[in-house]
Amino acid sequence: MKYLAMLTIVDPEKNQESRPAHLKYASDLYLQGKVFAAGPFPDGKGGLVIYDCESDEEATRLANADPAVTSGARTVEVRAWRTLDLPVEL
């Protein structure tokens, strides 16, 4: 199942410091098949990581272990997300 992790920047200075580790963390999880997609919001206030996990617990654990979160640079909210099979025929 897919899980959306909304990462909101709460400390811009810590965010700059943790950014390289945050990007490496997301890249490593992508190579392991645990991250489906990731990227920043254009307004510069944070970003989104879409995890591909077996459970709520796994997604929450991975999101909370992100260096941007553990450093206190960002807060995170994790929500399960179900994709639609598009196109939808009505």
Side-chain angles (χ1 to χ4, degrees):
M1 177 172 262
K2 302 285 191 285
Y3 294 85
L4 305 180
M6 188 98 113
L7 295 151
T8 303
I9 297 170
V10 293
D11 187 322
E13 186 176 315
K14 285 183 183 177
N15 186 64
Q16 286 293 8
E17 293 168 5
S18 67
R19 191 167 188 275
H22 162 70
L23 294 175
K24 181 173 181 350
Y25 183 74
S27 294
D28 290 347
L29 289 176
Y30 175 82
L31 293 173
Q32 295 172 34
K34 294 296 179 182
V35 167
F36 174 75
F41 297 128
D43 64 8
K45 295 181 181 179
L48 181 77
V49 177
I50 303 174
Y51 290 98
D52 193 354
C53 295
E54 298 296 320
S55 68
D56 294 358
E57 293 79 18
E58 180 185 21
T60 299
R61 179 180 56 76
L62 292 176
N64 284 320
D66 187 313
V69 176
T70 60
S71 71
R74 299 183 187 204
T75 59
V76 66
E77 177 186 353
V78 179
R79 305 225 16 215
W81 180 54
R82 206 170 343 160
T83 58
L84 291 175
D85 292 326
L86 296 173
V88 175
E89 296 199 23
L90 302 176

